[in-house]
């Protein structure tokens, strides 16, 4: 067990836990857009930056990957934290002006106006989808292209990605909900990845429950017999 | 002159490039550099073949190919004109030389002329600061280039 | 090639090399800058002519001599007569003079400020104030000749380290020396080594960072081109000290000659047994691979460089854990800059105390700078730390060209800042330059005269960084984009006072919240110019004026009737036919048509075209 203070409050955390996890467990709010416990910390959105004092030294660090230590003092409410947090969100709002999730966040951390010229993106480039696809699903169906502000998330060559099984994990994890999954006429469609796959119906209840691509993927991965795989989770 | 890609030579050239680096996919950047030297650019088929043979996911190969300045995914011109935009060259007016080249060639930096004669690009400091502004055409260095010289320089290459 | 099995073998080899060493020889600088100036032609003619005359004068094609603005530079030893701007047709005269023991006046260096002509290299003020330690052997050795390198004490530090010292003693010497990383951040090399050495991991790496991406810096290129063995010797010693058996030299792909020379040097060392298994019978194994970078400034940042060596995109990551603990493939890794490593053999040979006696309290040793811009003597210089900027700019650089006024000196490249005349008395030291809002950086030093617009310079660097940002973290990716947009507005005369404040606010956040060193230092060129040249920003914003005449939107070209002789050349050269006028008559520029390319001003021999 590790004892630290966050904003003056004594907090007990597990060894190896990050400051963000410790804060969340203690009910202290730290905004974060590129963090999810299922994937490795990425430290890209910079919204979770806090001031951490260990001994004599104070550092300005990302809470999502900074590991707690005994008698560490964390401040999430200093002028520096607020100033950076606000401007970073303002920058994101200029990049993606129409995301309700960002507007909500703006209310919480107090961003009143956007003073920068606005682009028309909808993706905040947090890489959550890319990392989930790679780290959790293990498929690398999507990735980044380019660098700097022309960077984007896409499938290679912006063409239907071969490895993509339309599992929808990317859609589920997207913090700003811009990877829609549609199911129409027996197909699952993910417009963003230019991909469409026929749905498989449960051999018992007849409900669609996965795509053919997913079916093949699972078959290969688990080696389970086909008739068993054709039964949905509810009917198993 | 760049080799024209066929299914066979792609397969073979990728295999050879990989072998040169001990079949180590960690040497991806150099493997791609060598292949670009052969074909002049990195085509879709080529990147797919690299991904297939190295077993590095295509999405990652694609990011590498679009991230580094050394790579181009479009066919290049016969002559590559590089304008050094290092600080010393900038202070000496390389941006003016670049603008003139863009005017004369009718393309922006990073693009290739329709007749596939010239690819114009900027390069970050080639370390010949004393010569600024520096223009490099297919490896040949031209120092102290002024906007006035641009037209005749291009003409000289066009007529070769 | 022979294989050296022991220290004695190496010393025997050295003896032989020394016995063959010529008294009289001609050294010709043949680095990239010299080649661009036509040094190759000079070299071939020289070789041919020497053979034709049957002369016994070896020609050494060396790295650049430093005086790059006057390349090709040739020095005739043993006397040290220096000829500059040598052309192939000068060769017969030069050889005549060498044979007769005469001097060719017209090829000697004349100080552009004082008009004094100098015969010998060592007398030239450009060299006099320098302390060429690392660069010392540069003009005396052929880059790939092991014999030459041995004649100048090469590999004596390596054998001393291997056979007379324990790894911890080497590290202690480096700590005592106070050597700080020459790549930019100035971290203490000894501490880095010590940290990596104490890690229990059986696999460790050492990487030589030659990804010199700073636009306006070429120290590392010259060292890799001209003294590859010096860099490699430092690297082998480093590897021995920390216990690494594998090393990488990461070189920019824009440096083909440097890559070639390092590659060849490594192959030679392998053949000699100075790399590979059981080096000189010491029992220590170490080998080095060259890795060519893909052209990304951010790869100079250690975690991005490591990612790139691992075959991934050059994206930095959090550095709460240092590379010395977990670096390349998760193993303890030491990253040292090229120049840092080139210093190591001197420290091992002469001791940390000796090294620490050079320089200042917190910055020890010398620093190599690539001096460029609006000065007379552009080139590669090496000075003791603590020398003032003024001495570098005026005494070594020869002052500002064409009688113009000094405006600023830029150090540290895109991570550094611009310092005005009032700061010229600052000593060249890591911490002093930081405090002044600039930084030592890797060693680019660009001098600007009154014709440079400081807002444009800031914009230039921000544009560079915007293009080089990897795009991973928000402040750097989006913050720089908007800083550039604001600077664009200001240089186009559309800026407001709020824009200047917003620039400072953005600068604060980008500097504090960015993920890696690129972002953290990116606002420096803007913040330093706002700090020292605020009045120029205000002029652009309030008066819509660019005093340097650089910002196109704020200037126009005009022909002064009294000066115009009607030579008609501007008429002929104007690419958009914006100039009217008959030969021998006064010419006029049509402001509607003019694209402000400046060609008319370039071609006018009568100073009749003015920027107003």
């Amino acid at each position: 067990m590790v004892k630290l203070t966050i904003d003056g409050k004594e907090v007990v955390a597990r060894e190896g836990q990050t400051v963000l996890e410790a804060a969340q467990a203690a009910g202290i709010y730290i905004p974060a857009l590129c963090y999810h416990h299922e994937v490795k910390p990425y430290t890209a959105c910079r919204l979770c930056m806090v001031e951490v004092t260990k001994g004599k030294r104070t550092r300005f660090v990302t809470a999502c990957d900074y590991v707690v230590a005994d008698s560490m003092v964390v401040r999430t409410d200093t002028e520096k934290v607020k100033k950076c947090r606000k401007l970073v969100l303002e920058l994101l709002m200029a990049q993606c002006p129409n995301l309700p999730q960002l507007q909500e966040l703006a209310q919480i951390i107090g961003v009143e106006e956007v003073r920068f010229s606005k682009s028309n993106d909808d993706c905040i480039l947090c890489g959550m989808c890319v990392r989930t696809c790679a780290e959790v699903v293990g498929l690398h169906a999507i990735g980044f292209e380019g660098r700097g502000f022309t960077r984007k998330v896409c499938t290679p060559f912006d063409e239907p990605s071969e490895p993509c099984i339309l599992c929808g994990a990317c859609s589920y994890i997207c913090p700003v909900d811009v990877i829609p999954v549609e199911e129409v006429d027996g197909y699952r469609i993910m417009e963003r990845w230019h991909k469409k796959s026929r749905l498989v119906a449960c051999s018992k209840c007849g409900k669609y429950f996965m795509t053919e691509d997913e079916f093949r993927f699972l078959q290969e991965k688990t080696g389970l017999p086909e008739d068993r795989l054709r039964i949905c989770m509810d009917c198993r | 002159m760049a080799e024209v890609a066929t299914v066979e030579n792609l397969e073979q050239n990728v295999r050879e490039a990989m072998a040169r680096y001990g079949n180590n996919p960690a040497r991806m950047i150099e493997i791609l550099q060598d292949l670009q030297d052969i074909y002049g650019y990195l085509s879709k088929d080529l990147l797919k073949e690299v991904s297939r043979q190295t077993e590095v996911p295509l999405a990652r190969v694609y990011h590498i190919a679009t991230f580094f300045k050394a790579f181009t995914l479009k066919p290049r011109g016969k002559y590559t004109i590089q304008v050094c935009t290092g600080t010393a060259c900038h202070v000496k007016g390389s941006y003016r030389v670049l603008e003139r080249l863009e005017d004369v060639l009718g393309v922006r930096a990073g693009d290739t002329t329709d007749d596939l004669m010239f690819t114009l690009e900027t390069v970050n400091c080639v370390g010949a600061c004393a010569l600024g502004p520096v223009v490099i055409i297919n490896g040949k260095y031209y120092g102290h280039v002024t906007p006035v010289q641009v037209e005749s320089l291009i003409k000289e290459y066009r007529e070769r | 090639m022979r294989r050296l099995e022991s220290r004695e073998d190496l010393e025997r080899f050295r003896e032989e090399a020394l016995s063959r060493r010529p008294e009289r020889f001609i050294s010709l600088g043949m680095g990239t800058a010299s080649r661009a100036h036509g040094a190759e032609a000079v070299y071939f003619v020289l070789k041919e002519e020497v053979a034709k005359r049957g002369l016994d004068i070896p020609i050494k094609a060396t790295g650049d001599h430093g005086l790059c603005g006057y390349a090709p530079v040739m020095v005739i030893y043993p006397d040290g007569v220096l000829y500059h701007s040598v052309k192939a047709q000068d060769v017969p005269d030069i050889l005549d003079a060498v044979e007769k023991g005469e001097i060719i006046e017209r090829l000697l260096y004349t100080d552009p400020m004082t008009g004094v002509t100098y015969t010998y290299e060592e007398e030239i003020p450009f060299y006099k104030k320098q302390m060429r330690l690392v660069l010392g052997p540069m003009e005396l050795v052929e880059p790939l000749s092991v014999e030459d390198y041995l004649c100048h004490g090469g590999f004596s530090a390596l054998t001393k380290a291997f056979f007379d010292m324990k790894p911890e003693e080497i590290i202690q010497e480096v700590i005592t020396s106070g050597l700080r990383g020459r790549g930019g951040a100035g971290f203490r090399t000894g501490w880095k080594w010590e940290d990596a050495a104490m890690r229990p991991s059986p696999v460790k790496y050492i990487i030589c960072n030659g990804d010199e991406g700073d636009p306006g810096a070429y120290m590392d290129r010259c060292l890799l081109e001209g003294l590859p063995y010096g860099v490699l010797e430092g690297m082998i010693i480093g590897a021995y000290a920390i216990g690494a058996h594998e090393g990488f030299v990461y070189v920019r792909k824009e440096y083909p000659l440097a890559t070639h020379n390092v590659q060849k040097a490594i192959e030679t060392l392998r053949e000699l047994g100075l790399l590979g298994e059981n080096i000189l019978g010491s029992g220590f194994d170490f080998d080095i691979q060259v890795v060519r970078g893909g052209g990304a400034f951010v790869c100079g940042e250690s975690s991005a460089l490591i990612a790139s060596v691992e075959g991934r995109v050059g994206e930095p990551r959090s550095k709460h854990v240092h590379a010395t603990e977990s670096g390349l493939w998760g193993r303890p890794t030491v990253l040292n800059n090229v120049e840092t490593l080139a210093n190591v053999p001197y420290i091992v040979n002469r001791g940390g105390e000796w090294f620490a006696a050079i320089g200042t309290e917190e910055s020890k040793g010398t620093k190599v700078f690539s001096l460029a811009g609006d000065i007379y003597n552009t080139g590669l210089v090496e000075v003791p730390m603590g020398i003032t900027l003024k001495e570098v700019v005026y005494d070594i650089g020869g002052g500002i060209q064409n009688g113009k006024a000094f405006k600023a000196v830029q150090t540290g490249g895109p991570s550094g800042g611009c310092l005005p005349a009032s700061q010229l008395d600052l000593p060249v030291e890591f911490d002093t330059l930081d405090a002044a809002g600039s930084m030592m950086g890797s060693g680019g030093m660009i001098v600007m005269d009154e014709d440079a617009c400081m807002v444009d310079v800031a914009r230039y660097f921000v544009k560079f960084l915007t293009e080089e940002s990897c795009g991973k973290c928000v402040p750097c990716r989006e913050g720089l984009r908007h800083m550039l947009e604001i600077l664009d507005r200001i240089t186009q005369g559309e800026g407001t006072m709020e824009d200047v404040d917003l620039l400072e606010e953005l600068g604060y956040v980008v500097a504090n919240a960015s993920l890696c060193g690129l972002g953290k230092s990116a606002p420096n060129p803007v913040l330093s110019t706002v700090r020292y040249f605020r009045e120029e920003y205000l002029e652009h914003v309030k008066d819509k004026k660019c005093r340097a005449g650089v910002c196109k939107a704020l200037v126009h070209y005009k022909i002064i009737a009294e000066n115009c002789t009607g030579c008609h050349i501007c008429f002929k050269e104007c690419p958009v036919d914006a100039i009217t006028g008959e030969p021998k008559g006064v010419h006029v520029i049509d402001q509607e048509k003019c694209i402000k390319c400046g060609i008319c001003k370039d071609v006018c021999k009568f100073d009749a075209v003015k920027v107003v």
Side-chain angles (χ1 to χ4, degrees):
Chain A
M1 282 299 152
V2 176
K3 276 190 197 156
L4 65 155
T5 64
I6 306 179
D7 293 343
K9 185 176 168 183
E10 291 215 1
V11 172
V12 180
R14 271 198 331 273
E15 197 94 28
Q17 243 183 344
T18 63
V19 170
L20 182 64
E21 285 163 342
Q24 279 173 346
I28 295 164
Y29 177 72
I30 298 175
L33 280 171
C34 70
Y35 171 81
H36 191 281
H37 61 272
E38 284 292 334
V39 289
K40 284 187 209 130
Y42 193 53
T43 68
C45 79
R46 317 304 283 175
L47 282 170
C48 71
M49 293 195 84
V50 294
E51 287 199 69
V52 168
T53 309
K54 269 202 288 192
K56 280 187 201 150
R57 196 162 170 220
T58 299
R59 298 174 71 188
F60 193 49
V61 299
T62 39
C64 68
D65 74 332
Y66 203 81
V67 177
V68 293
D70 250 329
S71 64
M72 181 190 261
V73 177
V74 179
R75 303 241 46 135
T76 78
D77 55 359
T78 63
E79 276 314 304
K80 188 173 183 176
V81 169
K82 286 191 219 159
K83 195 172 169 183
C84 290
R85 201 184 260 184
K86 278 186 180 174
L87 196 85
V88 167
L89 182 61
E90 189 182 338
L91 287 168
L92 275 177
M93 292 169 77
Q95 186 202 351
C96 304
N98 302 313
L99 296 176
Q101 293 84 349
L102 297 186
Q103 320 285 352
E104 266 169 48
L105 206 51
Q107 296 243 310
I108 300 171
I109 65 179
V111 177
E112 278 151 20
E113 54 160 349
V114 176
R115 294 164 293 173
F116 308 110
S117 67
K118 289 179 183 166
S119 312
N120 201 17
D121 299 348
D122 64 351
C123 168
I124 57 168
L125 298 170
C126 66
M128 206 83 105
C129 53
V130 175
R131 290 178 287 135
T132 301
C133 186
E135 290 175 35
V136 181
V137 190
L139 280 175
H140 303 272
I142 46 176
F144 289 105
E145 177 196 287
R147 59 155 99 148
F149 68 80
T150 60
R151 177 186 177 104
K152 65 176 194 175
V153 171
C154 61
T155 57
F157 309 99
D158 234 333
E159 287 179 350
S161 168
E162 217 182 279
C164 176
I165 56 170
L166 293 100
C167 67
C170 49
S171 171
Y172 169 78
I173 202 111
C174 177
V176 290
D177 205 16
V178 292
I179 312 176
V181 183
E182 277 182 298
E183 294 192 355
V184 188
D185 300 334
Y187 283 92
R188 186 179 289 172
I189 303 161
M190 294 185 74
E191 193 76 41
R192 201 155 193 134
W193 316 137
H194 322 287
K195 196 86 186 191
K196 185 173 169 177
S197 181
R198 194 189 291 278
L199 287 160
V200 176
C202 170
S203 59
K204 283 204 175 154
C205 68
K207 268 194 240 154
Y208 291 131
F209 74 106
M210 66 164 89
T211 65
E212 282 183 349
D213 291 319
E214 272 179 290
F215 182 81
R216 272 192 296 277
F217 176 72
L218 283 174
Q219 210 176 10
E220 227 170 83
K221 219 170 181 180
T222 61
L224 286 174
E226 188 172 333
D227 49 351
R228 195 172 141 70
L229 268 177
R230 285 207 183 268
I231 305 169
C232 76
M233 291 311 274
D234 294 340
C235 299
R236 246 175 240 180
Chain B
M1 201 52 208
E3 193 171 319
V4 177
T6 63
V7 177
E8 295 76 34
N9 72 23
L10 269 186
E11 199 275 330
Q12 189 187 343
N13 281 327
V14 172
R15 187 152 30 83
E16 285 174 10
M18 281 176 62
R20 217 166 299 137
Y21 300 101
N23 290 316
N24 181 359
R27 308 295 293 270
M28 180 62 75
I29 297 162
E30 292 162 287
I31 293 171
L32 293 179
Q33 285 188 35
D34 284 6
L35 291 165
Q36 180 165 290
D37 287 345
I38 298 174
Y39 295 106
Y41 74 112
L42 301 174
S43 66
K44 199 187 292 181
D45 289 340
L46 174 73
L47 293 176
K48 286 183 176 171
E49 183 61 24
V50 169
S51 163
R52 192 182 69 81
Q53 289 196 36
T54 55
E55 293 176 18
V56 173
L58 184 60
R60 280 182 50 193
V61 177
Y62 182 70
H63 191 195
I64 291 172
T66 55
F67 182 90
F68 289 105
K69 232 186 158 176
F71 303 126
T72 165
L73 273 63
K74 287 186 278 186
R76 301 171 72 87
K78 187 174 169 196
Y79 300 109
T80 298
I81 305 177
Q82 296 173 305
V83 181
C84 178
T85 48
T87 317
C89 285
H90 177 80
V91 173
K92 298 262 182 196
S94 67
Y95 58 94
R96 291 176 52 220
V97 175
L98 179 64
E99 282 169 10
R100 188 74 193 117
L101 275 162
E102 289 180 332
D103 268 2
V104 170
L105 296 171
V107 293
R108 308 279 295 169
D111 287 337
T112 300
T113 53
D114 290 339
D115 59 3
L116 288 182
M117 278 289 275
F118 298 102
T119 297
L120 179 63
E121 52 184 39
T122 59
V123 51
N124 292 336
C125 197
V126 293
C129 303
L131 285 174
V134 174
V135 171
I136 307 165
I137 305 184
N138 278 15
K140 186 169 164 41
Y141 285 66
Y142 293 87
H144 306 300
V145 180
T146 64
V148 190
Q149 297 168 332
V150 165
E151 205 159 2
S152 57
L153 193 62
I154 295 300
K155 202 167 156 224
E156 189 193 315
Y157 276 89
R158 262 220 175 97
E159 286 167 2
R160 276 191 185 185
Chain C
M1 194 174 286
R2 67 207 280 177
R3 204 183 151 78
L4 307 172
E5 305 283 354
S6 63
R7 184 183 201 169
E8 292 67 38
D9 268 2
L10 180 90
E11 290 311 322
R12 225 169 291 131
F13 190 20
R14 190 196 309 281
E15 289 301 312
E16 288 167 26
L18 281 168
S19 70
R20 283 195 296 264
R21 178 192 196 177
E23 260 289 283
R24 190 170 70 159
F25 65 92
I26 297 176
S27 155
L28 178 67
M30 289 275 281
T32 298
S34 306
R35 284 170 197 239
H37 271 108
E40 277 160 312
V42 177
Y43 180 74
F44 291 126
V45 175
L46 198 54
K47 275 282 208 193
E48 227 175 65
E49 192 70 21
V50 165
K52 208 165 78 192
R53 297 187 185 197
L55 295 175
D56 180 29
I57 307 176
I59 314 295
K60 283 191 196 297
T62 69
D64 283 328
H65 289 200
L67 208 50
C68 302
Y70 292 85
V73 170
M74 178 189 279
V75 179
I76 295 153
Y77 289 93
D79 301 337
V81 177
L82 182 141
Y83 294 136
H84 71 86
S85 311
V86 177
K87 295 188 180 51
Q89 56 264 36
D90 297 323
V91 168
D93 290 353
I94 292 170
L95 290 178
D96 287 348
V98 171
E99 286 185 276
K100 290 183 205 145
E102 290 168 357
I103 305 289
I104 306 173
E105 291 284 333
R106 70 167 199 279
L107 296 174
L108 293 177
Y109 173 87
T110 300
D111 190 310
M113 291 295 245
T114 60
V116 179
T117 298
Y118 299 94
T119 307
Y120 303 102
E121 179 178 16
E122 54 181 28
E123 305 173 330
I124 299 174
F126 174 79
Y127 290 105
K128 237 180 168 172
K129 274 236 165 162
Q130 292 191 48
M131 182 171 183
R132 291 172 82 90
L133 175 69
V134 173
L135 296 178
M138 187 81 103
E139 53 187 73
L140 301 171
V141 305
E142 288 223 351
L144 293 175
S145 162
V146 180
E147 285 89 341
D148 277 3
Y149 187 59
L150 285 170
C151 287
H152 292 91
F155 299 114
S156 55
L158 184 142
T159 50
K160 183 175 175 190
F162 275 21
F163 300 105
D164 303 337
M165 294 169 88
K166 294 196 190 81
E168 52 273 25
E169 288 171 330
I170 300 170
I171 293 172
Q172 195 47 56
E173 284 305 323
V174 177
I175 291 175
T176 307
S177 77
L179 176 66
R180 294 170 68 173
R182 301 303 196 228
F187 195 80
R188 286 176 199 272
T189 308
W191 293 356
K192 230 186 221 183
W193 286 15
E194 188 178 44
D195 192 54
M198 66 171 217
R199 304 282 163 192
S201 170
V203 178
K204 294 174 191 177
Y205 300 106
I206 183 164
I207 302 177
C208 169
N209 184 349
D211 191 51
E212 184 174 56
D214 169 353
Y218 51 89
M219 304 73 50
D220 296 347
R221 170 177 68 68
C222 286
L223 280 169
L224 290 171
E225 280 176 6
L227 282 171
Y229 293 120
V231 179
L232 295 175
E233 183 178 0
M235 198 171 164
I236 301 169
I237 294 169
Y240 175 73
I242 64 160
H245 300 293
E246 224 180 309
F248 298 87
V249 181
Y250 191 93
V251 195
R252 282 179 83 197
K253 64 134 202 142
E254 287 90 339
Y255 289 172
L257 184 62
T259 312
H260 173 267
N261 283 5
V262 175
Q263 185 67 53
K264 283 277 172 259
I266 289 172
E267 285 164 21
T268 306
L269 293 188
R270 271 190 206 132
E271 285 171 32
L272 280 169
L274 286 165
L275 277 178
E277 282 175 21
N278 193 13
I279 298 171
L280 295 179
S282 65
F284 179 67
D285 307 336
F286 180 61
D287 208 346
I288 303 176
Q289 280 181 40
V290 175
V291 176
R292 281 175 295 153
F297 176 66
V298 70
C299 287
E301 199 277 341
S302 61
S303 64
L305 186 145
I306 286 174
S308 156
V309 174
E310 289 173 352
R312 294 182 287 120
V313 158
E315 267 176 20
R317 46 167 204 191
S318 260
K319 285 209 282 194
H320 309 319
V321 178
H322 288 296
T324 43
E325 186 181 338
S326 173
L328 190 62
W329 289 298
R331 303 292 193 166
T333 304
V334 161
L335 262 121
N336 288 138
N337 157 272
V338 170
E339 186 189 334
T340 311
L341 289 171
N343 271 293
V344 168
Y346 295 95
I347 293 168
V348 169
N349 261 335
R350 304 188 201 176
E353 300 267 357
W354 166 83
F355 190 86
I358 308 166
T360 64
E361 194 52 40
E362 290 299 321
S363 302
K364 303 295 188 190
T366 61
K367 178 74 195 92
V368 182
F369 286 97
S370 51
L371 192 57
D374 302 317
I375 34 154
Y376 281 109
N377 303 327
T378 50
L380 203 64
V381 307
E382 183 175 356
V383 291
M385 295 276 193
I387 192 171
T388 64
L389 287 167
K390 191 184 253 161
E391 288 172 283
V392 179
V393 172
Y394 287 93
D395 299 345
I396 297 172
I400 307 298
Q401 277 177 335
N402 310 323
K404 299 235 164 131
F406 169 91
K407 184 180 268 184
V409 55
Q410 211 281 340
T411 65
S415 315
C418 295
L419 300 173
S422 62
Q423 304 290 313
L424 275 176
D425 285 322
L426 281 184
V428 170
E429 283 182 303
F430 287 100
D431 312 289
T432 322
L433 290 176
D434 276 355
S438 186
M439 81 189 270
M440 177 85 77
S442 59
M445 193 182 278
I446 292 150
V447 181
M448 300 174 202
D449 68 17
E450 56 195 277
D451 289 342
C453 164
M454 299 320 284
V455 185
D456 172 73
V457 168
R459 187 193 150 276
Y460 163 79
F461 281 116
V462 172
K463 180 163 186 287
F464 171 85
L465 290 161
T466 306
E467 286 166 8
E468 293 298 331
S469 164
C470 79
K472 178 174 175 178
C473 80
V474 179
C476 177
R477 180 185 73 226
E478 300 299 325
L480 286 175
R481 167 198 213 162
H482 290 288
M483 286 179 92
L484 178 60
E485 232 179 74
I486 293 168
L487 287 163
D488 273 339
R489 270 208 298 277
I490 296 176
T491 54
Q492 279 157 21
E494 289 158 12
T496 61
M497 285 312 293
E498 288 76 47
D499 279 338
V500 181
D501 297 339
L502 199 52
L503 267 183
E504 287 186 288
E505 192 182 333
L506 272 166
Y508 176 83
V509 173
V510 174
N512 282 290
S514 289
L515 169 54
C516 82
L518 186 149
K520 284 189 208 297
S521 61
N524 283 349
V526 177
L527 297 178
S528 69
T529 48
V530 173
R531 174 169 165 190
Y532 294 117
F533 301 93
R534 198 175 180 92
E535 71 283 1
E536 283 197 39
Y537 279 84
L538 300 190
E539 278 171 18
H540 281 73
V541 169
K542 288 187 173 160
D543 313 333
K544 311 294 173 202
K545 267 209 160 109
C546 172
R547 64 167 86 169
V550 170
C551 297
K552 264 192 181 183
L554 303 180
V555 300
H556 60 270
Y557 286 80
K558 208 180 150 193
I559 295 173
I560 309 295
E562 297 88 82
N563 292 4
C564 179
T565 61
C567 75
H568 212 46
I569 186 158
C570 58
F571 175 91
K572 282 187 214 144
E573 294 289 352
C574 176
V576 291
D577 299 328
I579 297 175
T580 50
E582 294 300 317
K584 302 212 170 78
V586 171
H587 287 55
V588 181
I589 300 173
D590 181 344
Q591 297 299 334
E592 294 282 301
K593 284 190 188 167
C594 176
I595 56 165
K596 300 171 186 173
C597 68
I599 285 182
C600 50
K601 187 172 190 291
D602 288 344
V603 296
C604 181
K605 293 187 188 76
F606 306 98
D607 205 20
V609 182
K610 295 279 179 212
V611 183
V612 286

